[in-house]
Amino acid sequence: MEREVNFCPKWFSTLWVSLLMMLCLFHAAKAEITCRSCQPGNKWRAQLMLKFDTSKSATGLKGEVFGNGDGTERFGAASAESQQLHCAAGSRECASGRVGYSEARLKRNTDNLRAKAQNQDPGEGTSSASGRRLTRSELRWSGEERRAIGPRQEELKLNSSTFALTGDSSHNQAMVHWSGQNSSVILMLTKLFDFNLNSVTESSLWRSTDYGATYQKLNEKVGAKTILSYLYVSPNNKRKIMLLTDPEVESSLLISSDEGATYQKYRLNFYILSLLFHPEQEDWILAYSHDQKLYSSVEFGRRWQLVHERVAPNRFYWSKMGLDKEPGLIHLETSISEGQALYVTCKLQNCTDANKGKPFPGYIDPNSLVVQDEYVFVQVSTAGRPIYYVSAKRDVFTPMKLPKYTLPKAPQLLSAHYKVLLAQSEDLHVISTDENRVVAAVQEWNQNETYTLYVSDTSGVYYTLALENVVSSMGPEGNVMVDLYEVAGIKGMFLANKKTDNQVKTYITYNRGRDWRLLQAPSKDLRGNSIHCVLPYCSLHLHLHVSANPYTSGNIASRDSVPGIIIASGSIGSELTSSNVSVFITSDAGNTWRQIFDEEYAVLYLDQGGALVAIRHTPLPIRHLWLSFDEGQQWNKYSFTNTPLFVDGVLGEPGEETLIMTIFGHVSHRSEWQLVKIDFRSIFNKRCTEADYQTWHLHNQGEPCLMGVKRIYWKLKPTSRCVMGTMYSVSMTSGPCDCTEADFECDYGYERRSDGKCTPAFWFHPSSVSRSCTTGMTFLNSTGYRKVVSNNCTAGVSVEYTAKRQQCPIQAPKGLHLVTSEGMLTATLGTNVTFLVFLEEGDGARTSITLDFGDGHALTYSNVSSIEDGIKHIYKAVGIYRVTATGENSLGSETALLYLHVTCQLEYIHLSAPFVAVRNKELNLTAVLWPSQVGTVTYIWWIGNNTEPVITLEGSIACMFSREGINTVTVQVSAGNTILQDRKTIAVHEYFRSHLLAFSSNLDDHNPDVAEWRLDVSRVIKNALIQATGVREDQLLVTVLPGLPTTAEFFLLPDKQLTEGKPEKTSAHLDQLSEFLLSALNQNLVQFTLRPGVQVTVYAAHLSAAPLVDTSENHSGSAMLMLLSVVVVGLAVFVIYKFKRKIPGLNVYAQMQNEKEQEMMSPANPTEATPSSQQDLAHSLEILDTEFSSRPIGKCPLWFDTYLWLEFNLFSPLLSSCHHFKMLFHKTHHVVFVVCFSEVNGPIHG
């Protein structure tokens, strides 16, 4: 498999690099990862992207990439066996893993480095490794290296050759692919990446056919003007090469099927962000584009087909043979809306709606889908708290059961595939899913820089504690790295750094986290001096930083081919420190350790671990390396070049032998890339034979039984100097052990006491384990223990600790849970709501489930298993529904409640308020909603100059104003996530008169019934009245009322100077003005031109509207009689309307509202609703100043209670001159208006 490695120097470190490895196999986003010492503005940042392959599958790493760095990050050796995968699925560090190649990126800045060395600025030119200032001569090379230039008889030399990539001195990035598998072909792509433009401006493609001794430039073969940006290789066929051009110039692919000898170009109509190769089919590829579209190809990129749109980045996965139904199935997460996503499965070449699968019912949280081995994980947040679901072997999803009070800080789930790299700010991570169990890291509510490890059973559902307070640190791209390392070659062995009393200590386990202990420090140092270090006060502590690139960390390495050998950097003392770091080695799987270097070195495995290669960490150019053939006990110094070289990285030959290496570097800041090929085969005497091997017994401080077996390995003798070769494989024999208490961990719900016994936690009820029992069947009744996964012990105490099989008891249902699939307590009207019902205890097969939706519908199911996919229901009315789930069997019942708010989107609001109000008299303000029923609503009222609002749950409020003048009223309506507002101005006066106006019918043809039109026409009417009557402008107010036919109302205000504020004079004055205006209106003297050719006449209803408050002292008897008559007529009309079905020939047009609360009824037939018998009755006759029409919009019900028009097509002796009349009841003014209309000329009288 190919990996990606990232190098970068410090300003003051000549050309040392920091390798940032992208090891994740999932997503191939082409993200640039930089080290801490690199800044985007560095002009001469160089990157060496070292690419290597596997001889097996996309998940196996057989090549090695090495590089050097500063004192905190160094180059080192690692393998798939030791490191597995270390990046979080979905993180940018996973880029190259998803495409199946590795890039080691070198960043160099020799121009600035030389300048700073010459200027001798304080603080510059300081070695980060040693912490001392470097002199000018030292910046060139050390005295030892300088003396080594001359021939020395005693110096050991390696067989090497050097090749310079001429013409590429300006290129600052390189990508290398070495096929291995007996192939001598090496491909290298060098690029000039402009960090200001964020694009590649130049590129060169080089190819070697002699293991890197010489290279040929292939620019002419791919196109002299073609700029290449990335190099990809099929993980299943290393002969198939794919080159991607820079999309800024052209979007194309160049494909080769002969290890890069020839290429064919194919145009693309999309921009590739990441690639995912199929683990078995060499030509199958998934490509993710910049516009969130997923494409597929079954011809190695020659043709592409759109699979799906709106796919979440890095959330798409290939199917797994043996688990999924089809090899061409794709698991993906598709975005629905902000905060909602769906998990779907899709066929590779036929992803239609008919062929899509939805394994999880309902929505999931965005970026939460993780498909890893045989497990699938999703997350659903309910009321701000996450619920994590897992599916094992593609079975139904089940909530993950962490210990009850394990509360992650943030609602996010992200895979850390494989081991230690976690994304920042997410606090539950799936770290490992191998060996048929899940290891999860949780940052709990009381943790800041540490995580707690939990391990599951084989189902991935039930978790128990493994280790608390595991140290985490921030990675180079804001990622969280957890200090947990799985040792290669020995099943169940882990190393972890734990924080205790603010001290970081290293612990080791041999049984998958069941037991942990400190590391015993070496007894002697490198010089043979004794080390006094007594446990537990003093121990050996190791750096376990294996981020996205294990080679950059350079802290720890192990390999499957040499079980028991671990090389790591660390310190001795009471805690782990970053100073006085040395390199240590163990040959017996962590039981004893030896110090091999007292400063930073990168130690690499050679010949499957038969030999070790060490390269010193230094900011200086070097020409030597060290070799050991006896597991690091003795080291020999070899020269690999005559001229000291600034080493940028090292690439080992992929495959089993690893006897050829290529060192990448340069001799000066302006030189070309120097590629030094080193052939180690000449230093070995022979091929290894059986006599060169010896047995080694794996143990833990003398205990040979680990994970239930005794294991004996064959290892190369330290005195043997031979080549193990490609035919070598690790040989092991094992024998079973009797089970002991150490082979069992605490079961779910149990905790280990100080004496080692497992007892129930305070929140756990042991009887609850029979949750899925069916009468007549059996279940495993836990003893409080469960065998560690993959433990192979037999007999012994197995019977005592293993769960006992018992008959399922007959018990009443208990622990019934009811939630929506989205985890929300709200739903949108007219959409499907999926209810999920879970039963913790009880006979699920014999427990019936009844779900009452609260709207008169109910459904009953015979057992729990029949509703695993959820129960769907559509609500047809807005409201708050009491949803009830009842589980019942012969022994009892259990009920779960859920109050569901069914809402409709609030589209518009209108504030109904009088145009004029009386001082110190109460008036009503009403907020009218559109639609009128949207669910739970909060009203915020801002009245006048009040600085604090009034908050109500009702749409009406009463208020009064104590001062005359113009006042502003604002109402804000909050419904769900929507807040709308409306504002009105109210003229407040102590005395006034008002009259209703009507118009010639031609005005209705031009009335759009919008507020702006009414405002403009009101101004025109006012001007027409002033012009016809001479009334002063400040004494007249006019407002056009909403609705058709068009009506208006004018208000007369007294002249305060004339009336002197006296009620008697004011009343008389207003009466005179009113009669004067009515006279002009009755004589048709008030007219206005709406538009050319449209002349509108203004009429007055002879029965004027009564004032809001009667300001006169004496009531007119005739006026009172007339008003009483109108009220009687109104009541009569209302009675007729109520009994309209009994009076033939009478047509009543009304807007009706049902104010009756919904009845929670369970009808005899649960599939039919019981309608309300009063649903079609109107309950009010009222007119409000509204800006709505009565036409319902959308799917939401619309009832306007603002006003009610009653229209009669009849003639009567009383109104014989009327063609028809309209009657209005004004809710605010408490007045009934009757307006008589002629057929032609409009209103006659009222």
Side-chain angles (χ1 to χ4, degrees):
M1 192 192 83
E2 301 80 10
R3 307 284 195 221
E4 179 167 332
V5 183
N6 199 355
F7 297 79
C8 126
K10 284 198 171 182
W11 286 84
F12 48 82
S13 300
T14 308
L15 267 174
W16 297 104
V17 294
S18 220
L19 297 167
L20 298 176
M21 178 69 178
M22 297 181 183
L23 283 183
C24 178
L25 290 180
F26 285 127
H27 301 283
K30 299 181 288 298
E32 298 293 335
I33 302 181
T34 61
C35 67
R36 296 182 180 91
S37 59
C38 289
Q39 301 299 326
N42 292 357
K43 179 180 178 181
W44 284 98
R45 289 201 315 182
Q47 291 185 331
L48 176 61
M49 308 177 195
L50 302 184
K51 181 180 189 325
F52 53 97
D53 308 309
T54 175
S55 60
K56 294 183 180 180
S57 68
T59 59
L61 169 63
K62 299 303 178 183
E64 294 182 352
V65 179
F66 319 120
N68 56 348
D70 55 25
T72 57
E73 294 187 351
R74 63 175 201 164
F75 61 90
S79 65
E81 294 88 343
S82 62
Q83 304 300 337
Q84 303 295 323
L85 304 175
H86 299 269
C87 67
S91 64
R92 296 172 65 88
E93 291 74 20
C94 292
S96 56
R98 294 215 69 152
V99 299
Y101 77 91
S102 172
E103 298 178 353
R105 297 179 178 167
L106 165 70
K107 296 176 170 34
R108 63 183 185 183
N109 194 327
T110 53
D111 278 333
N112 290 285
L113 181 68
R114 290 281 182 168
K116 293 177 180 180
Q118 293 171 2
N119 294 334
Q120 291 291 306
D121 288 338
E124 299 294 334
T126 302
S127 169
S128 61
S130 62
R132 61 184 178 88
R133 175 184 288 276
L134 298 179
T135 65
R136 186 177 303 178
S137 60
E138 286 178 318
L139 277 172
R140 293 183 174 88
W141 57 76
S142 65
E144 178 187 1
E145 295 288 354
R146 197 179 324 114
R147 291 191 300 271
I149 294 178
R152 297 175 59 184
Q153 297 296 328
E154 70 277 8
E155 184 175 68
L156 299 175
K157 295 185 178 181
L158 294 171
N159 184 9
S160 64
S161 61
T162 303
F163 185 86
L165 300 183
T166 306
D168 287 355
S169 60
S170 63
H171 290 191
N172 53 10
Q173 291 184 354
M175 300 173 64
V176 183
H177 162 66
W178 194 343
S179 294
Q181 299 175 320
N182 298 321
S183 172
S184 60
V185 175
I186 301 176
L187 284 176
M188 186 170 184
L189 173 63
T190 64
K191 304 178 292 182
L192 173 59
F193 187 87
D194 191 315
F195 291 95
N196 294 322
L197 299 177
N198 196 32
S199 64
V200 179
T201 57
E202 293 180 15
S203 67
S204 295
L205 183 64
W206 299 83
R207 186 172 186 263
S208 172
T209 58
D210 52 8
Y211 288 96
T214 60
Y215 287 84
Q216 177 187 4
K217 201 169 188 177
L218 302 182
N219 284 24
E220 295 297 329
K221 290 189 176 182
V222 299
K225 297 183 179 181
T226 300
I227 299 178
L228 304 174
S229 59
Y230 281 91
L231 182 153
Y232 304 133
V233 182
S234 170
N236 302 300
N237 185 350
K238 300 305 187 303
R239 295 181 60 84
K240 292 189 174 183
I241 310 296
M242 180 184 295
L243 297 171
L244 181 62
T245 62
D246 186 1
E248 298 293 333
V249 180
E250 62 173 325
S251 186
S252 301
L253 285 176
L254 288 93
I255 297 175
S256 172
S257 299
D258 51 11
E259 289 189 283
T262 59
Y263 294 90
Q264 297 82 39
K265 180 180 284 189
Y266 297 88
R267 296 284 183 180
L268 293 175
N269 58 3
F270 62 95
Y271 172 32
I272 293 178
L273 284 182
S274 60
L275 293 178
L276 178 63
F277 287 87
H278 194 277
E280 298 174 0
Q281 300 291 334
E282 62 185 51
D283 291 334
W284 290 11
I285 311 173
L286 294 178
Y288 187 73
S289 70
H290 67 288
D291 54 355
Q292 294 188 318
K293 294 180 180 178
L294 187 66
Y295 296 84
S296 68
S297 174
V298 294
E299 302 178 52
F300 199 71
R302 292 174 176 84
R303 291 183 180 85
W304 295 92
Q305 177 177 331
L306 178 64
V307 177
H308 207 287
E309 297 181 349
R310 296 178 61 84
V311 176
N314 304 321
R315 300 294 170 180
F316 47 92
Y317 309 85
W318 285 111
S319 58
K320 186 177 179 68
M321 291 296 294
L323 290 174
D324 293 290
K325 298 178 181 179
E326 301 180 39
L329 199 66
I330 305 170
H331 302 262
L332 57 90
E333 177 186 312
T334 176
S335 302
I336 301 301
S337 62
E338 184 177 358
Q340 289 185 329
L342 278 178
Y343 165 33
V344 300
T345 57
C346 219
K347 292 184 178 180
L348 177 64
Q349 295 290 307
N350 188 19
C351 189
T352 62
D353 290 337
N355 292 322
K356 288 180 186 177
K358 295 183 179 179
F360 185 83
Y363 297 116
I364 65 174
D365 290 352
N367 296 312
S368 69
L369 174 65
V370 174
V371 181
Q372 192 165 309
D373 297 327
E374 65 182 46
Y375 299 97
V376 181
F377 304 90
V378 297
Q379 172 186 302
V380 177
S381 293
T382 302
R385 291 186 60 180
I387 301 176
Y388 308 103
Y389 292 88
V390 61
S391 167
K393 297 181 179 179
R394 307 302 188 260
D395 204 348
V396 296
F397 280 89
T398 306
M400 295 168 61
K401 294 283 190 178
L402 292 164
K404 186 173 183 179
Y405 295 103
T406 299
L407 304 176
K409 273 191 173 181
Q412 280 295 333
L413 170 70
L414 187 64
S415 167
H417 190 61
Y418 171 74
K419 283 293 170 290
V420 293
L421 181 64
L422 311 180
Q424 182 183 6
S425 77
E426 284 115 7
D427 299 290
L428 189 148
H429 312 269
V430 176
I431 294 182
S432 167
T433 54
D434 62 350
E435 297 288 344
N436 298 319
R437 82 163 181 178
V438 180
V439 178
V442 179
Q443 187 170 59
E444 301 187 40
W445 61 274
N446 58 349
Q447 293 177 316
N448 293 318
E449 298 178 352
T450 60
Y451 282 74
T452 301
L453 298 181
Y454 293 92
V455 295
S456 77
D457 59 354
T458 55
S459 69
V461 174
Y462 297 98
Y463 291 79
T464 58
L465 176 67
L467 186 64
E468 293 181 295
N469 296 320
V470 180
V471 174
S472 67
S473 60
M474 197 64 64
E477 283 220 336
N479 299 298
V480 176
M481 297 181 293
V482 173
D483 280 11
L484 176 67
Y485 180 80
E486 181 175 14
V487 178
I490 300 179
K491 183 175 64 174
M493 183 176 175
F494 288 83
L495 291 163
N497 283 331
K498 177 182 178 180
K499 193 171 186 178
T500 304
D501 297 329
N502 291 323
Q503 290 184 328
V504 178
K505 301 176 183 289
T506 301
Y507 289 79
I508 189 171
T509 180
Y510 294 87
N511 53 8
R512 289 191 170 274
R514 196 273 188 196
D515 299 294
W516 298 84
R517 66 170 175 84
L518 294 168
L519 298 179
Q520 178 65 58
S523 58
K524 294 184 178 181
D525 63 12
L526 189 62
R527 297 167 181 79
N529 300 321
S530 297
I531 299 176
H532 182 71
C533 187
V534 179
L535 293 171
Y537 310 103
C538 176
S539 60
L540 174 64
H541 311 287
L542 305 177
H543 290 283
L544 305 177
H545 291 168
V546 280
S547 61
N549 178 10
Y551 310 109
T552 64
S553 66
N555 296 131
I556 187 166
S558 59
R559 292 190 64 172
D560 281 335
S561 58
V562 280
I565 295 182
I566 308 171
I567 304 169
S569 61
S571 60
I572 298 174
S574 60
E575 63 177 329
L576 179 66
T577 64
S578 298
S579 59
N580 300 321
V581 176
S582 300
V583 182
F584 301 89
I585 189 172
T586 177
S587 301
D588 56 3
N591 286 281
T592 60
W593 294 83
R594 290 179 286 109
Q595 184 181 11
I596 55 177
F597 294 105
D598 58 3
E599 57 182 335
E600 288 286 342
Y601 274 78
V603 182
L604 325 172
Y605 289 93
L606 191 67
D607 185 33
Q608 302 193 80
L612 301 175
V613 180
I615 300 179
R616 182 186 175 193
H617 274 277
T618 173
L620 309 175
I622 61 174
R623 54 186 296 269
H624 292 98
L625 52 76
W626 285 258
L627 280 171
S628 175
F629 301 94
D630 55 4
E631 298 179 347
Q633 297 186 30
Q634 299 292 330
W635 292 89
N636 297 318
K637 185 177 181 180
Y638 289 81
S639 66
F640 62 88
T641 180
N642 292 327
T643 304
L645 192 69
F646 291 98
V647 176
D648 301 324
V650 181
L651 175 65
E653 176 192 8
E656 298 298 332
E657 296 188 35
T658 315
L659 292 175
I660 296 178
M661 287 184 180
T662 298
I663 294 180
F664 299 84
H666 52 283
V667 295
S668 70
H669 66 288
R670 294 183 179 179
S671 68
E672 295 86 359
W673 294 96
Q674 303 290 320
L675 278 63
V676 181
K677 170 192 171 185
I678 304 175
D679 192 340
F680 292 96
R681 288 176 291 187
S682 60
I683 65 175
F684 290 94
N685 299 326
K686 59 174 183 175
R687 288 276 180 179
C688 296
T689 63
E690 186 175 345
D692 294 308
Y693 294 90
Q694 64 181 6
T695 59
W696 171 68
H697 296 254
L698 174 65
H699 66 93
N700 175 17
Q701 295 182 324
E703 173 55 55
C705 288
L706 301 178
M707 296 295 290
V709 294
K710 297 178 181 178
R711 282 172 278 183
I712 303 175
Y713 295 89
W714 282 86
K715 293 178 60 175
L716 192 65
K717 294 179 180 179
T719 57
S720 297
R721 187 168 176 175
C722 57
V723 176
M724 290 189 288
T726 58
M727 302 304 294
Y728 169 76
S729 61
V730 177
S731 178
M732 180 194 72
T733 59
S734 62
C737 294
D738 290 341
C739 290
T740 65
E741 190 266 345
D743 296 309
F744 294 83
E745 62 189 3
C746 292
D747 203 351
Y748 172 77
Y750 290 81
E751 297 174 339
R752 190 175 301 280
R753 299 186 312 194
S754 57
D755 60 359
K757 301 297 182 181
C758 295
T759 58
F762 72 93
W763 49 265
F764 183 68
H765 303 285
S767 61
S768 64
V769 294
S770 56
R771 51 197 164 269
S772 59
C773 270
T774 300
T775 304
M777 300 181 64
T778 60
F779 77 103
L780 292 175
N781 189 15
S782 176
T783 61
Y785 298 84
R786 68 186 186 194
K787 185 184 288 188
V788 175
V789 175
S790 301
N791 189 294
N792 296 316
C793 71
T794 58
V797 298
S798 179
V799 176
E800 179 183 350
Y801 284 90
T802 302
K804 306 297 189 296
R805 186 163 295 280
Q806 299 179 1
Q807 289 289 326
C808 289
I810 302 176
Q811 59 180 358
K814 187 177 180 181
L816 190 67
H817 299 278
L818 173 63
V819 296
T820 62
S821 59
E822 295 83 3
M824 306 293 290
L825 296 176
T826 62
T828 302
L829 186 70
T831 61
N832 256 321
V833 183
T834 302
F835 294 96
L836 303 178
V837 181
F838 302 101
L839 181 64
E840 291 186 357
E841 301 177 41
D843 188 348
R846 298 176 184 269
T847 300
S848 64
I849 300 295
T850 299
L851 188 62
D852 186 342
F853 300 106
D855 61 348
H857 292 75
L859 294 174
T860 300
Y861 296 86
S862 59
N863 54 61
V864 177
S865 60
S866 59
I867 55 174
E868 290 177 346
D869 294 333
I871 305 171
K872 298 182 183 300
H873 185 66
I874 297 177
Y875 287 91
K876 298 181 179 180
V878 170
I880 303 176
Y881 294 89
R882 184 176 185 267
V883 185
T884 306
T886 303
E888 185 176 7
N889 60 23
S890 59
L891 295 181
S893 64
E894 175 90 350
T895 300
L897 296 176
L898 186 150
Y899 294 93
L900 185 69
H901 293 242
V902 178
T903 62
C904 186
Q905 179 67 35
L906 178 62
E907 300 181 17
Y908 189 77
I909 69 167
H910 168 71
L911 174 58
S912 176
F915 188 65
V916 181
V918 179
R919 184 172 68 90
N920 289 329
K921 295 297 181 181
E922 191 176 82
L923 70 144
N924 290 326
L925 304 175
T926 302
V928 184
L929 311 184
W930 187 17
S932 61
Q933 301 294 322
V934 294
T936 304
V937 177
T938 303
Y939 300 85
I940 302 99
W941 305 88
W942 302 84
I943 301 173
N945 295 324
N946 293 345
T947 58
E948 294 294 332
V950 178
I951 301 175
T952 68
L953 297 178
E954 298 293 334
S956 297
I957 189 173
C959 67
M960 68 174 62
F961 298 96
S962 60
R963 294 183 180 180
E964 292 188 331
I966 302 299
N967 290 271
T968 301
V969 177
T970 301
V971 62
Q972 293 179 324
V973 180
S974 174
N977 295 325
T978 303
I979 297 181
L980 300 179
Q981 77 173 26
D982 192 16
R983 179 180 289 112
K984 285 291 188 295
T985 57
I986 301 175
V988 178
H989 297 278
E990 189 165 3
Y991 303 101
F992 61 86
R993 292 286 190 272
S994 64
H995 298 267
L996 189 67
L997 298 176
F999 306 91
S1000 54
S1001 59
N1002 58 348
L1003 182 59
D1004 293 345
D1005 298 333
H1006 303 278
N1007 184 355
D1009 199 19
V1010 295
E1012 292 80 3
W1013 185 90
R1014 291 193 291 271
L1015 186 63
D1016 291 335
V1017 172
S1018 297
R1019 187 175 59 255
V1020 173
I1021 298 171
K1022 179 178 179 180
N1023 292 334
L1025 286 170
I1026 293 173
Q1027 185 177 1
T1029 63
V1031 177
R1032 285 182 11 212
E1033 183 178 356
D1034 60 347
Q1035 291 184 264
L1036 183 64
L1037 298 175
V1038 178
T1039 178
V1040 176
L1041 301 178
L1044 292 173
T1046 308
T1047 56
E1049 192 172 5
F1050 74 84
F1051 300 84
L1052 289 174
L1053 307 177
D1055 186 340
K1056 292 186 178 181
Q1057 293 181 354
L1058 191 63
T1059 61
E1060 300 177 354
K1062 296 181 179 180
E1064 299 84 1
K1065 292 185 178 182
T1066 300
S1067 178
H1069 175 61
L1070 290 176
D1071 289 341
Q1072 289 178 354
L1073 285 178
S1074 179
E1075 292 177 2
F1076 184 60
L1077 262 70
L1078 289 175
S1079 175
L1081 290 169
N1082 291 333
Q1083 298 177 42
N1084 295 337
L1085 298 179
V1086 183
Q1087 297 181 347
F1088 63 90
T1089 302
L1090 184 66
R1091 57 187 302 179
V1094 181
Q1095 188 74 15
V1096 179
T1097 302
V1098 183
Y1099 305 98
H1102 287 191
L1103 179 60
S1104 65
L1108 292 176
V1109 174
D1110 191 353
T1111 59
S1112 64
E1113 303 227 347
N1114 298 318
H1115 300 286
S1116 168
S1118 59
M1120 290 296 295
L1121 180 60
M1122 180 65 72
L1123 180 59
L1124 182 60
S1125 301
V1126 172
V1127 171
V1128 171
V1129 172
L1131 292 176
V1133 171
F1134 180 72
V1135 171
I1136 294 173
Y1137 168 75
K1138 291 280 288 184
F1139 298 98
K1140 61 181 180 179
R1141 295 183 179 179
K1142 300 180 180 180
I1143 306 176
L1146 178 64
N1147 296 320
V1148 181
Y1149 300 89
Q1151 184 65 39
M1152 296 176 295
Q1153 175 181 3
N1154 176 18
E1155 296 180 352
K1156 181 177 181 298
E1157 293 183 359
Q1158 289 183 324
E1159 298 178 1
M1160 308 304 175
M1161 301 175 60
S1162 179
N1165 185 356
T1167 63
E1168 297 180 0
T1170 303
S1172 171
S1173 61
Q1174 301 182 16
Q1175 187 171 3
D1176 295 327
L1177 298 182
H1179 292 276
S1180 63
L1181 298 173
E1182 53 189 32
I1183 176 168
L1184 296 176
D1185 180 17
T1186 180
E1187 296 180 2
F1188 305 137
S1189 69
S1190 59
R1191 178 175 55 90
I1193 292 183
K1195 298 181 179 179
C1196 302
L1198 188 61
W1199 295 289
F1200 285 107
D1201 60 352
T1202 58
Y1203 59 89
L1204 182 66
W1205 285 90
L1206 300 178
E1207 183 171 346
F1208 298 87
N1209 294 318
L1210 52 85
F1211 296 89
S1212 69
L1214 181 62
L1215 299 173
S1216 58
S1217 60
C1218 300
H1219 174 263
H1220 65 281
F1221 67 89
K1222 292 188 179 290
M1223 189 174 189
L1224 301 91
F1225 173 69
H1226 201 296
K1227 175 181 177 182
T1228 304
H1229 293 195
H1230 307 293
V1231 171
V1232 176
F1233 299 105
V1234 178
V1235 183
C1236 176
F1237 289 87
S1238 67
E1239 185 173 6
V1240 178
N1241 297 324
I1244 298 177
H1245 60 270

